[in-house]
Amino acid sequence: MIPAPRLPVEQRLYVPSSGEASDVELLPAGDVTEGVLRVGGTVRRPHQPQSYAVADYLDWLEDAGFEGSPRFLGRDPSGRDVLTFLPGDCAGAMPEHWVQSEDLLVSVARLVRRLHAVSAGFVPAAHPFPPRPLPVAHEEQDGLVCHLDVTPQNVVVRRGLAVGLVDFDLAGPATGFKDSFNTAMHWVPLRHPGDSWPGWETLDPFRRLRVFADAYGWTEEERRRLPEFGAHATLLSYHRMEHRARNLGGGWARMWAEGAGGRIERRRAWLEANGSRLIRALTD
Ligand SMILES: Nc1ncnc2c1ncn2[C@@H]1O[C@H](COP(=O)(O)OP(=O)(O)OP(=O)(O)O)[C@@H](O)[C@H]1O
Ligand SMILES: [Mg+2]
């Protein structure tokens, strides 16, 4: 496929079309970014330090024929990022009952697998991703740029199946295993049972993790090291979140004050305590 000619992302200006100003909706607030709007068939988000790195990645995905991500259209006259709106449903802050569907879980795993396949070969050049806080020497890293925040609120669902990913704010180089573990953590979900969302208490995380693993295609080796990898990744995310809460404030500080740290720590302990049961569920 020959890609359409495009200006470099930092030169791309979005000229609002007449009439779209009358079709405006405030999108459900996430934890950090405020004031995300749908305007006609577009989304307006505040411009951020990582916006151009993300925009280059979205261009790459578009050229690779990936349909499941927004297109970066440029910045509007007020400087906000403009992206295409992906029609469908996203989960609310407290994921609804329909989010529990196993068919949906399978489709999420497959969508993320496909994202990883099409992301291979993308090398950030003009706009590097800002470094993550607290780089840790032994964090796995093979340079595969991926989403890294595939929560139920960031997946677009049509007819019960995952068709799109939004909110690439945390995208950056990592590994496919890291991004898929992170996705499973949000979607199985992997949490201490005392921290279940209301209505999710009776779901079997071991079964759902196996369903995810088979649909994504984790290798035997990945299945065996998942609990240790997950506990380590969870410890890292505890320190990163504490760092962001302290240094960035805003939504990060609010989440921390509302007990996010305790939840992450209980998740880590749960992963550690259930290591052999998780491996059995993944390999038997
Ligand atoms: N391109 C898009 N297409 C369709 N829906 C979108 C799109 N972008 C955002 N949304 C909807 O708006 C919601 C909030 O947008 P987004 O996830 O980008 O910001 P956020 O969650 O507030 O950010 P953060 O996670 O950084 O706090 C999403 O959960 C989704 O429902
Ligand atoms: Mg979001």
Side-chain angles (χ1 to χ4, degrees):
M1 188 178 74
I2 303 168
R6 279 179 310 227
L7 285 171
V9 293
E10 70 279 10
Q11 291 173 27
R12 230 173 272 172
L13 296 178
Y14 177 80
V15 182
S17 63
S18 61
E20 68 175 19
S22 60
D23 181 18
V24 179
E25 173 193 11
L26 185 61
L27 290 168
D31 292 310
V32 174
T33 314
E34 292 184 1
V36 181
L37 293 176
R38 179 184 67 74
V39 182
T42 71
V43 170
R44 308 292 163 88
R45 302 179 96 250
H47 184 75
Q48 312 203 53
Q50 70 276 26
S51 288
Y52 288 145
V54 168
D56 285 338
Y57 181 37
L58 296 178
D59 277 3
W60 170 277
L61 295 176
E62 177 177 7
D63 294 346
F66 186 65
E67 305 267 324
S69 48
R71 308 290 173 236
F72 178 76
L73 301 176
R75 292 176 72 182
D76 72 5
S78 350
R80 295 174 302 185
D81 294 340
V82 186
L83 300 137
T84 53
F85 179 80
L86 306 182
D89 299 311
C90 298
M94 207 50 92
E96 296 81 356
H97 190 259
W98 60 262
V99 183
Q100 297 179 3
S101 146
E102 259 181 35
D103 287 345
L104 176 57
L105 181 66
V106 166
S107 68
V108 169
R110 289 185 181 152
L111 183 64
V112 170
R113 180 84 211 196
R114 175 143 165 71
L115 175 79
H116 294 168
V118 297
S119 300
F122 172 67
V123 179
H127 307 99
F129 286 93
R132 288 187 182 270
L134 305 177
V136 175
H138 52 280
E139 183 177 20
E140 285 190 6
Q141 176 63 265
D142 66 9
L144 183 79
V145 172
C146 34
H147 186 288
L148 297 173
D149 195 22
V150 184
T151 61
Q153 297 78 18
N154 289 340
V155 171
V156 177
V157 177
R158 268 179 243 144
R159 295 198 195 93
L161 299 179
V163 295
L165 302 169
V166 300
D167 191 358
F168 281 68
D169 279 352
L170 296 184
T175 68
F177 189 48
K178 165 123 187 143
D179 196 26
S180 54
F181 165 76
N182 194 267
T183 304
M185 178 187 91
H186 288 300
W187 276 88
V188 167
L190 299 172
R191 304 186 137 214
H192 185 278
D195 293 323
S196 281
W197 294 311
W200 286 64
E201 298 85 351
T202 57
L203 258 66
D204 177 355
F206 299 95
R207 177 189 159 88
R208 284 175 61 85
L209 186 65
R210 175 64 186 256
V211 167
F212 181 94
D214 292 349
Y216 179 86
W218 280 337
T219 63
E220 170 88 16
E221 186 264 335
E222 287 169 334
R223 290 168 198 243
R224 293 198 177 278
R225 68 192 176 90
L226 178 120
E228 199 187 331
F229 175 88
H232 179 67
T234 306
L235 183 65
L236 239 173
S237 83
Y238 178 94
H239 290 302
R240 282 201 173 128
M241 190 149 172
E242 185 186 34
H243 180 92
R244 286 180 167 126
R246 204 166 341 105
N247 293 285
L248 301 177
W252 294 107
R254 191 169 53 244
M255 283 189 276
W256 195 256
E258 287 168 2
R263 269 195 305 282
I264 298 174
E265 170 50 24
R266 288 190 291 279
R267 165 185 293 141
R268 190 200 55 72
W270 183 86
L271 286 166
E272 238 170 51
N274 287 279
S276 38
R277 198 169 159 201
L278 286 162
I279 293 174
R280 268 203 313 282
L282 286 169
T283 55
D284 273 357

